Amino acid sequence: MSKKVRVRFAPSPTGGLHLGGVRTVLYNYLFARRHGGDFILRIEDTDQGRYVPGAEEYIIDSLKWCGLEPDEGPHKGGPHGPYRQSERKALGLYDKYARQLVDQGHAYYAFDTPEELEAMREKYKSADNPSPQYNHTLRKKMRNSLSLDPAETQRLLAAGTPYVIRIRLEPDQEVHFTDMIRGEVRFSTTGVDDKVLLKADGMPTYHLAVVVDDHGMNITHAFRGEEWLPSAPVHILLWRYLFGEDKMPHWAHFPLILKPDGNGKLSKRDGDRLGFPVFAMNWTDPRSGEPATGFRETGFLPQAFVNLLALLGWNDGTGQEIFTLTELVDRFSLDRVHKGGAKFDFEKAKWFNHEWIKKLSAVEYSDQVAPLFAAAGITIPPADLERPGGEPEVPIIPIFADPLADITGPPPFDLAAYESVVRAATPVPNRFETILDLVKDRCTLLPDFVGQAGFFFQLPATMDLDAVRPKWNAAKDLFFAEYIRQLQVGGELTDPHALEAQFKEMAAAAGIKPGELLMPLRIMLVGGKFGPHVFDIAVMLGKEETIRRIGHTLGLLKA
């Protein structure tokens, strides 16, 4: 590409960040990184009536959790700031271009009050036209600089009469552009209304602001959801009138993320109804107090969240499903993005998380899991969190760091070189992390670790004795009493294989099948019929605790 790639994500700070928004961020980010470009965050706070305090910070925190850090933005600065539209409005950027359009005859002043607009909609409503629009047909019937004589227009302006500036669209014009996903797209202006460009409070609408800001920030590629396709004619005409279509960025409109049944766009209400999150992180609307659960708090790893979003509308054609962010950067191309919508499947989303929990060392996510134990009332001894040998000398490289130019060079990246540096920088697991690694194959969401590993840190609250009693007898009671004595005279438990061999030898000597003893041993240590290999559990519990738990259960069985 001849120009440096510059893409942007431009959300409105009106609420939580929907997973569709995060996918738009991801595709922008991957495209920018793939082509050595810049990814910009711009806050489009033009609608002050819908502005929600804290929403901007939430968006920034969500992108940070996902590992999709912008190169420029309101929190980082950059050479093309300011990055909030309210601040850009204060510089007069939008007003200047709106008045230029009026002077060129491409826009006009409209003085209609809200009451007059509502009356228009009622007066001209019909069966054939249930929602009348402010367009070439009706604008002559309204109060604007096209219907009023110039002297009256100047009088209203001089008197400070509130007005908006609307684009002037004539019917039967064809507007077309090439979409990088959908190919040639054509529109007729006949069904498009005269959109407001500048509101009465001087703030621009999205239509004007997105064009002015994309030009001012040298955006080369504008990627957004397909719901914005109907607005494309207005935006293309604004580019034509203000800067020239040759300066316009390349366009791509991503497919929708659909409800699980494929019937319409996925919404927060669908998540509430079906019991899964649709926002990146927890969000509580400060106005209504209405909470929404996020993927992070549900127990998703950011690697899994990003991975599953990448495949909601894209694949690399190989059938591979598990991708690191570096691999996604290396493989991503817009020609593999689908035109049709992608159905969201929460069970598949959990599958991605399960695969990533297994794939990563627990070192990568133990800091996310530890608070879950505390919340469940399970105390992790400080010694279990101490790292043997201290921290590694090589700084840890975040899994979602930008491509490492000094190591990998320009794309395609040398994944082996990248991963070798990551391995060299990975610290040795502490006892808590070693335990998590033992049980991670059984965990789909991070809260599952509490149920699967809580028994390592406290005596099980309940014991499934009903699973033991029906086949319990004096021979088994004597066996475990003897097993306790053997453990007492032996050394520390360090080798699960040796411990298993000893157990089976004792079972053979007692004339009892090992299988009849292994399940009671598991329940003695764990409280139920679950958990990793039973002798791995015993080694991790240690000699004294293993003896204590066996003795405790024997006492319960005699009661």
Side-chain angles (χ1 to χ4, degrees):
M1 297 184 181
S2 58
K3 293 176 65 177
K4 183 177 184 181
V5 167
R6 287 177 60 80
V7 300
R8 49 54 174 179
F9 176 58
S12 299
T14 56
L17 187 56
H18 186 278
L19 61 97
V22 183
R23 190 193 61 177
T24 297
V25 172
L26 176 61
Y27 286 1
N28 273 279
Y29 181 95
L30 296 177
F31 187 84
R33 293 292 177 264
R34 184 75 182 88
H35 296 284
D38 296 327
F39 167 56
I40 294 93
L41 174 65
R42 185 174 71 220
I43 299 298
E44 301 202 342
D45 57 348
T46 58
D47 191 341
Q48 292 293 292
R50 296 179 62 223
Y51 175 81
V52 175
E56 178 184 322
E57 293 77 8
Y58 169 90
I59 291 167
I60 292 169
D61 289 344
S62 294
L63 298 191
K64 184 176 181 180
W65 175 67
C66 293
L68 305 174
E69 287 277 7
D71 299 296
E72 303 169 26
H75 60 308
K76 303 186 76 168
H80 298 278
Y83 294 90
R84 295 183 187 92
Q85 287 181 338
S86 57
E87 295 174 7
R88 297 174 71 80
K89 178 255 183 184
L91 299 176
L93 295 177
Y94 309 113
D95 186 80
K96 165 190 169 183
Y97 288 110
R99 296 185 190 284
Q100 177 182 324
L101 290 166
V102 173
D103 293 341
Q104 294 171 339
H106 298 309
Y108 58 93
Y109 300 108
F111 302 96
D112 315 282
T113 65
E115 292 77 16
E116 288 170 333
L117 291 171
E118 184 59 32
M120 176 270 286
R121 296 186 188 101
E122 287 298 321
K123 180 177 180 179
Y124 296 103
K125 182 189 296 186
S126 67
D128 295 332
N129 186 17
S131 301
Q133 294 182 315
Y134 202 121
N135 57 16
H136 66 279
T137 301
L138 292 181
R139 65 189 175 213
K140 287 293 185 179
K141 305 177 188 298
M142 305 301 292
R143 282 203 311 151
N144 55 63
S145 56
L146 299 181
S147 63
L148 303 171
D149 67 53
E152 177 63 9
T153 296
Q154 291 304 315
R155 187 190 70 78
L156 290 171
L157 291 173
T161 305
Y163 64 86
V164 300
I165 293 179
R166 291 179 178 271
I167 190 171
R168 179 178 182 173
L169 291 183
E170 300 303 330
D172 302 320
Q173 295 183 27
E174 184 178 80
V175 179
H176 64 90
F177 70 98
T178 301
D179 188 286
M180 296 179 72
I181 296 171
R182 300 162 192 279
E184 193 73 7
V185 180
R186 296 180 179 274
F187 294 92
S188 170
T189 58
T190 300
V192 184
D193 59 322
D194 292 354
K195 302 290 187 187
V196 173
L197 302 179
L198 198 72
K199 293 180 279 191
D201 61 2
M203 287 293 281
T205 63
Y206 171 79
H207 305 294
L208 177 64
V210 71
V211 171
V212 171
D213 289 342
D214 281 354
H215 177 264
M217 294 182 179
N218 297 330
I219 300 302
T220 61
H221 296 77
F223 302 153
R224 58 191 184 180
E226 70 174 48
E227 63 267 31
W228 288 106
L229 266 173
S231 299
V234 172
H235 301 163
I236 292 166
L237 289 173
L238 287 174
W239 274 101
R240 180 186 299 173
Y241 299 153
L242 292 173
F243 309 114
E245 287 186 65
D246 58 319
K247 304 290 195 306
M248 188 169 69
H250 299 283
W251 298 85
H253 290 82
F254 300 138
L256 297 176
I257 296 178
L258 305 175
K259 301 176 184 182
D261 62 6
N263 186 23
K265 181 181 177 181
L266 180 70
S267 70
K268 176 185 176 297
R269 287 187 297 276
D270 298 314
D272 292 342
R273 175 172 57 87
L274 299 172
F276 57 74
V278 297
F279 289 168
M281 304 188 324
N282 275 5
W283 168 255
T284 299
D285 190 315
R287 298 168 302 186
S288 66
E290 183 181 4
T293 304
F295 278 85
R296 183 182 70 174
E297 289 76 13
T298 299
F300 277 78
L301 292 170
Q303 295 91 334
F305 183 51
V306 166
N307 192 162
L308 72 91
L309 287 181
L311 272 68
L312 275 175
W314 171 88
N315 66 74
D316 73 343
T318 67
Q320 179 176 336
E321 293 189 281
I322 301 300
F323 292 90
T324 65
L325 188 60
T326 307
E327 288 174 316
L328 287 172
V329 168
D330 187 44
R331 307 275 188 88
F332 185 76
S333 64
L334 284 176
D335 59 4
R336 297 293 308 179
V337 175
H338 311 157
K339 295 182 180 68
K343 290 191 289 187
F344 179 70
D345 181 346
F346 188 54
E347 292 305 312
K348 184 67 173 182
K350 291 193 293 184
W351 176 85
F352 276 105
N353 205 57
H354 180 54
E355 293 301 308
W356 269 100
I357 284 175
K358 293 189 297 180
K359 177 182 174 68
L360 295 176
S361 165
V363 170
E364 302 272 4
Y365 48 77
S366 60
D367 61 338
Q368 300 170 65
V369 177
L372 302 175
F373 281 78
I378 299 174
T379 301
I380 303 169
D384 289 352
L385 299 174
E386 293 177 2
R387 198 164 303 289
E391 297 294 335
E393 294 183 5
V394 183
I396 297 175
I397 300 172
I399 190 79
F400 286 129
D402 288 346
L404 305 178
D406 293 340
I407 298 169
T408 60
F413 305 118
D414 184 345
L415 292 175
Y418 175 85
E419 289 170 356
S420 68
V421 172
V422 173
R423 282 195 297 273
T426 302
V428 176
N430 54 36
R431 182 175 183 269
F432 177 61
E433 292 158 346
T434 301
I435 288 171
L436 298 187
D437 277 327
L438 269 181
V439 303
K440 66 184 182 181
D441 286 1
R442 295 165 174 79
C443 298
T444 298
L445 301 171
L446 295 185
D448 295 343
F449 278 102
V450 177
Q452 292 292 336
F455 64 85
F456 282 105
F457 305 100
Q458 64 180 23
L459 190 69
T462 60
M463 306 291 290
D464 187 8
L465 297 181
D466 289 341
V468 177
R469 279 198 171 101
K471 294 185 179 181
W472 191 252
N473 54 41
K476 291 178 180 178
D477 191 81
L478 287 172
F479 172 87
F480 279 103
E482 178 60 25
Y483 188 53
I484 288 175
R485 284 192 287 272
Q486 291 295 326
L487 292 176
Q488 288 172 332
V489 300
E492 284 301 321
L493 309 185
T494 58
D495 184 347
H497 300 292
L499 197 60
E500 181 178 11
Q502 178 196 23
F503 187 88
K504 289 180 176 179
E505 288 174 4
M506 289 183 62
I512 305 173
K513 293 179 180 179
E516 295 182 24
L517 299 169
L518 286 171
M519 189 266 282
L521 177 61
R522 177 177 296 279
I523 290 174
M524 290 170 177
L525 301 184
V526 176
K529 295 182 285 186
F530 65 95
H533 193 270
V534 70
F535 296 103
D536 287 331
I537 295 172
V539 168
M540 192 56 62
L541 288 173
K543 174 179 172 176
E544 290 185 9
E545 184 63 17
T546 297
I547 291 172
R548 182 170 82 94
R549 293 192 181 190
I550 295 172
H552 172 73
T553 309
L554 290 178
L556 293 176
L557 288 167
K558 291 175 181 177

